Amino acid sequence: MLKLLFPKRFSLAKTFAITFLIFAFIIRLTLYIWSFNVIHFSFVNFIEIFGLGFIFDIGCLSYIMAFYAVYLLVFPTQFYGSKFDKIITNFMYAFALFFMFFSFLSELTFWEEYQKRFNFIAVDYLLYTYEVVQNINQSYPLPLILGILIIITFFAIKIAQNKNAFKFTFNNSNSFKTKLIPTLFWVILLSLYQLNIQSNQAEIFSNQYENEITKSGPYSFFAAYKKNELNYTNFYLTNPLNLSYKIIRKLIPSEKDSLIENSKSIERYISNTGIEQNPNVIFIGLESLSAKFMKRFGNKKNLIPAIDSLAKKSIFFTNLQATGTRTIRGMEAIALSIPPTPGRSIVKRENNDNLFTIGEVFKQKGYTRTFFYGGDGHFDNMNIFFSNNGFNIVDRKNKYRLNEVYPTKRSQITDDEVTFENAWGICDGDLYNKVLKEADKQYEIGQPFFNFIMTSSNHKPYTYPNGIINIPSGENRAGALKYTNWSFEKFFKEAKGKPWFKNTVFVIVSDHCAYSAGRSEINVESYHIPAFIYNLQNKKAEEVTKLSSQIDIFPTLFGYLNWSYKSNLFGKDINKMKPKDERALIANHRKLGLLKGNKLLILDSQKNYSFYQWNSKNNKLINTKTDSLFLKETIAYYQTAFDLFKNEGLKLN
């Protein structure tokens, strides 16, 4: 059988296939050992993971083998071993080996950060080569790694030579008929995988680490590429659309809100009593700041004392949940106040201009609106999203990128304003300094301002200016957290000396947690983030313990300011929530969840769902009997959010 699949002309292909499968096994075994303390070990479990994993490795291999087999099939017999044949074959083999080793090694670094095989994050990062390459270069000894990869590739080629793989490939008389059998095998195998085998079919275990280890990294990558934007209707459970809108129109309004008559809309007029306040508003998005880093939630390392101190000085939301696991999910939730739509964030989608954002509410009240980012806002499509939705831009343009034209004003962070920068942009301290400068200018104009700031220092490679804190730059996240805290404290010390401070409210929310992986399909505790509203006039500090979502933070602020306004936002004023209204919408790339109390329902992209009881003490999910009303409500949130965006129901009139 092997001779039929690997005649002499296919000797090099056979060597490559064996090399690929060996290294795929080594990577899977490495991840298995790495995750040993969080998986359910048994001999049967081991066999299942590696057996199913081998099937996915074969599928991944078929994509390479099929194309090479076609080349071998059509290449004329009389030209075997010709100069052209040797150049093409040698180059293809060396390149394929190097790419394979690089891919496998990259999986280890990706796992270290996300505890996942390649997924939509890896796909997204390919679009922003500069930032990603710089991040890798600053996080790892890249020249050394490349040198090691070249050496491994060299020895792999030498092994193939010693096995006479090159000699047999170039010196044989295999006919077209002989080559047709292996070519058909690989092409048919490729077709079967392409048409029938999905990466998520590896997810047969209750433990998510085991599901990820089972997958093939490259296969998962291309699967994520194909499904980077999911049509909710095609992939998820649905209600009759009219029913979903009927449900959501009952869930979203508070008592005094007035819905418009359109039955497929969430537009409404929100009424608040009392004298309207119009302070300046500065939003600070804290990169990857999990609630568990705070003293209030049991952390004893004293990493962020300045942020900890806000718990006693502000409106502190102690049970607020992020909607996702990435910065652009946090931005989407906060700016659009919308449940996470499956696939990529709306921030990165087409036709995301002229939407009803929180910025539109500020516009109704006469505010300027500015987005601040310490890197190049081209990354993750941030500038395009914010500018096309009415925000001015302040960022650090990458000198290697072409100038882009935006409908609003774009201001540069100049070299003389920078003391330190890494792959993601300038350090938080420099960004805050720029915010202070711009706020001074905005104050002089005499118009209230809304500034949306996104920080980045608490992100790998965890680098920051030396000599500021007691942990060397680039060493670990603890150092990045301490620097985040230092720059945060310094910003507020300086802001308090500004004439605009007394009339400025600060909204401080994390974009997502630092770690999102877990044993269950959605790791509930990895969505818990801190949120504060600070410096509200005539309002004492308090803790708000209601279960709520990122999408609720600005509707709640508008309530504190006694604003009445037109809204097309899903978020609710947390203070107006009754116990039955408390909920959090938590999701990852494909799983969409609704958390209410200790009940969690998860929709997946196979038109299935799971219903759990969540134990908050040990973070375990236990399957429980389905609540049909809960299911319909979950579907209603996500189905209507998708429908409104897709059919331009979120567009400004």
Side-chain angles (χ1 to χ4, degrees):
M1 181 64 179
L2 280 177
K3 287 186 177 181
L4 285 175
L5 291 180
F6 296 104
K8 284 192 173 182
R9 180 61 173 160
F10 281 70
S11 296
L12 204 56
K14 180 176 72 173
T15 304
F16 179 84
I18 293 170
T19 305
F20 180 94
L21 293 174
I22 289 172
F23 273 86
F25 175 83
I26 291 171
I27 292 297
R28 184 169 288 108
L29 183 62
T30 302
L31 298 181
Y32 188 87
I33 295 170
W34 196 343
S35 309
F36 195 77
N37 64 327
V38 290
I39 60 178
H40 305 131
F41 173 74
S42 71
F43 180 73
V44 173
N45 176 270
F46 180 88
I47 295 299
E48 285 179 333
I49 290 173
F50 282 81
L52 186 56
F54 179 76
I55 292 172
F56 278 93
D57 292 339
I58 290 291
C60 183
L61 177 64
S62 71
Y63 282 78
I64 303 169
M65 296 292 286
F67 286 101
Y68 184 47
V70 170
Y71 166 79
L72 296 175
L73 176 69
V74 300
F75 199 83
T77 307
Q78 61 267 35
F79 295 116
Y80 289 178
S82 65
K83 188 175 182 179
F84 177 82
D85 187 27
K86 287 182 177 179
I87 290 173
I88 292 296
T89 300
N90 290 337
F91 174 79
M92 287 171 61
Y93 190 70
F95 178 80
L97 282 175
F98 182 85
F99 182 80
M100 177 186 74
F101 295 139
F102 180 82
S103 172
F104 284 143
L105 185 62
S106 298
E107 284 199 70
L108 298 179
T109 62
F110 195 81
W111 186 273
E112 179 187 20
E113 182 75 10
Y114 300 105
Q115 294 79 56
K116 300 279 185 183
R117 292 284 196 160
F118 289 142
N119 59 12
F120 69 101
I121 298 175
V123 173
D124 278 355
Y125 277 2
L126 269 189
L127 301 175
Y128 305 101
T129 310
Y130 176 82
E131 285 85 356
V132 174
V133 171
Q134 289 298 312
N135 182 39
I136 293 171
N137 190 39
Q138 292 168 16
S139 302
Y140 305 99
L142 191 57
L144 176 63
I145 291 171
L146 290 176
I148 291 172
L149 289 174
I150 290 170
I151 291 171
I152 294 173
T153 302
F154 173 78
F155 278 106
I157 292 171
K158 291 296 292 182
I159 291 171
Q161 289 175 336
N162 292 338
K163 295 292 183 180
N164 293 319
F166 286 95
K167 178 182 176 181
F168 292 145
T169 297
F170 296 136
N171 300 293
N172 65 84
S173 57
N174 289 155
S175 65
F176 182 88
K177 184 178 178 181
T178 303
K179 296 183 295 180
L180 185 61
I181 294 173
T183 303
L184 285 175
F185 172 81
W186 289 110
V187 169
I188 291 171
L189 190 63
L190 168 62
S191 301
L192 289 173
Y193 273 86
Q194 178 70 17
L195 297 174
N196 299 295
I197 307 298
Q198 305 295 322
S199 181
N200 57 22
Q201 287 176 296
E203 298 174 4
I204 65 170
F205 304 97
S206 60
N207 184 300
Q208 291 306 297
Y209 286 94
E210 294 169 7
N211 288 331
E212 292 297 324
I213 293 169
T214 302
K215 295 176 183 177
S216 161
Y219 199 85
S220 295
F221 176 87
F222 288 105
Y225 180 82
K226 288 192 295 180
K227 289 189 174 181
N228 211 16
E229 187 171 321
L230 298 175
N231 183 301
Y232 180 91
T233 307
N234 293 344
F235 289 93
Y236 294 85
L237 287 173
T238 59
N239 298 321
L241 190 57
N242 288 337
L243 175 60
S244 281
Y245 274 107
K246 184 177 180 180
I247 293 170
I248 210 69
R249 283 168 66 86
K250 288 182 179 178
L251 292 171
I252 286 180
S254 297
E255 279 186 16
K256 295 181 180 180
D257 297 350
S258 304
L259 284 160
I260 68 167
E261 293 184 4
N262 184 350
S263 62
K264 290 186 178 179
S265 172
I266 61 166
E267 287 187 71
R268 60 204 184 278
Y269 187 78
I270 294 177
S271 298
N272 285 297
T273 57
I275 299 173
E276 283 199 0
Q277 302 174 46
N278 293 97
N280 307 307
V281 178
I282 294 179
F283 167 78
I284 301 175
L286 294 173
E287 170 68 44
S288 304
L289 198 95
S290 308
K292 66 181 180 181
F293 293 144
M294 291 189 65
K295 183 179 179 180
R296 167 65 177 77
F297 301 109
N299 194 297
K300 298 179 180 179
K301 297 180 180 178
N302 198 34
L303 297 170
I304 50 173
I307 298 171
D308 280 331
S309 70
L310 286 178
K312 302 294 185 182
K313 302 176 183 176
S314 64
I315 313 297
F316 180 23
F317 300 88
T318 62
N319 200 7
L320 189 135
Q321 312 295 318
T323 62
T325 59
R326 294 196 63 205
T327 296
I328 51 173
R329 275 299 183 202
M331 286 182 170
E332 172 190 71
I334 292 161
L336 286 166
S337 188
I338 190 173
T341 52
R344 56 171 43 181
S345 165
I346 289 174
V347 173
K348 294 195 67 172
R349 294 194 184 195
E350 295 181 359
N351 199 27
N352 65 0
D353 61 309
N354 206 36
L355 301 175
F356 193 102
T357 68
I358 57 170
E360 183 60 22
V361 181
F362 281 103
K363 182 181 178 183
Q364 291 176 27
K365 301 300 178 180
Y367 283 66
T368 63
R369 299 159 292 168
T370 307
F371 170 65
F372 290 81
Y373 181 60
D376 189 332
H378 171 84
F379 181 75
D380 269 345
N381 209 49
M382 290 185 284
N383 280 357
I384 290 176
F385 172 76
F386 280 99
S387 183
N388 282 305
N389 286 289
F391 286 75
N392 292 323
I393 306 294
V394 178
D395 72 334
R396 174 78 166 157
K397 181 184 176 297
N398 185 329
K399 61 185 177 181
Y400 299 110
R401 285 201 173 107
L402 298 174
N403 288 322
E404 296 171 298
V405 179
Y406 300 110
T408 58
K409 180 183 177 183
R410 183 188 192 187
S411 302
Q412 297 295 315
I413 299 170
T414 57
D415 290 346
D416 62 336
E417 296 175 308
V418 178
T419 63
F420 180 89
E421 62 185 317
N422 62 19
W424 303 111
I426 63 175
C427 60
D428 288 355
D430 290 344
L431 178 60
Y432 286 137
N433 288 338
K434 183 65 173 179
V435 172
L436 291 169
K437 285 183 183 179
E438 293 300 313
D440 288 344
K441 295 176 186 177
Q442 293 165 331
Y443 172 73
E444 291 298 324
I445 296 172
Q447 184 179 1
F449 57 80
F450 169 49
N451 292 336
F452 190 117
I453 306 165
M454 190 61 234
T455 66
S456 61
S457 287
N458 187 29
H459 192 296
K460 208 164 191 177
Y462 310 135
T463 52
Y464 38 82
N466 284 313
I468 289 178
I469 61 165
N470 60 358
I471 297 177
S473 172
E475 186 162 310
N476 53 35
R477 187 181 288 279
L481 284 166
K482 283 195 167 189
Y483 174 74
T484 295
N485 180 80
W486 177 88
S487 57
F488 183 87
E489 183 177 29
K490 178 176 177 289
F491 169 69
F492 277 97
K493 282 181 179 178
E494 295 184 17
K496 286 176 181 177
K498 299 293 184 179
W500 44 261
F501 177 81
K502 187 176 180 181
N503 190 40
T504 300
V505 173
F506 298 84
V507 181
I508 301 131
V509 184
S510 175
D511 57 350
H512 58 85
C513 285
Y515 309 103
S516 60
R519 300 185 186 192
S520 54
E521 53 185 326
I522 284 186
N523 183 19
V524 181
E525 70 176 8
S526 292
Y527 289 82
H528 186 201
I529 56 173
F532 313 89
I533 296 178
Y534 172 66
N535 209 33
L536 267 173
Q537 296 301 306
N538 304 316
K539 185 65 182 173
K540 292 182 179 180
E542 67 171 327
E543 286 194 0
V544 178
T545 61
K546 294 178 181 179
L547 176 62
S548 55
S549 170
Q550 266 175 327
I551 72 174
D552 303 314
I553 194 68
F554 272 94
T556 304
L557 172 69
F558 301 151
Y560 279 121
L561 299 179
N562 299 317
W563 286 4
S564 296
Y565 57 98
K566 293 178 182 177
S567 176
N568 202 8
L569 308 173
F570 277 81
K572 292 173 70 82
D573 183 338
I574 298 170
N575 291 313
K576 294 180 182 179
M577 286 182 177
K578 298 175 181 177
K580 66 180 179 64
D581 299 324
E582 295 181 40
R583 51 86 190 99
L585 298 143
I586 57 177
N588 55 35
H589 186 56
R590 292 187 292 109
K591 304 290 178 75
L592 310 174
L594 176 65
L595 177 68
K596 297 185 77 172
N598 67 343
K599 298 294 174 62
L600 173 67
L601 195 142
I602 300 173
L603 304 172
D604 68 32
S605 57
Q606 303 298 309
K607 287 188 176 285
N608 293 321
Y609 70 92
S610 303
F611 193 49
Y612 299 104
Q613 182 169 312
W614 174 54
N615 186 325
S616 59
K617 292 182 179 179
N618 59 21
N619 196 39
K620 287 187 177 180
L621 297 177
I622 302 169
N623 285 98
T624 189
K625 185 179 178 181
T626 302
D627 180 330
S628 60
L629 293 177
F630 201 121
L631 174 60
K632 289 177 181 177
E633 186 175 317
T634 307
I635 293 170
Y637 273 111
Y638 291 105
Q639 186 178 7
T640 56
F642 173 81
D643 185 71
L644 284 169
F645 174 71
K646 202 69 176 176
N647 294 305
E648 303 192 347
L650 301 177
K651 293 279 189 179
L652 297 173
N653 294 327

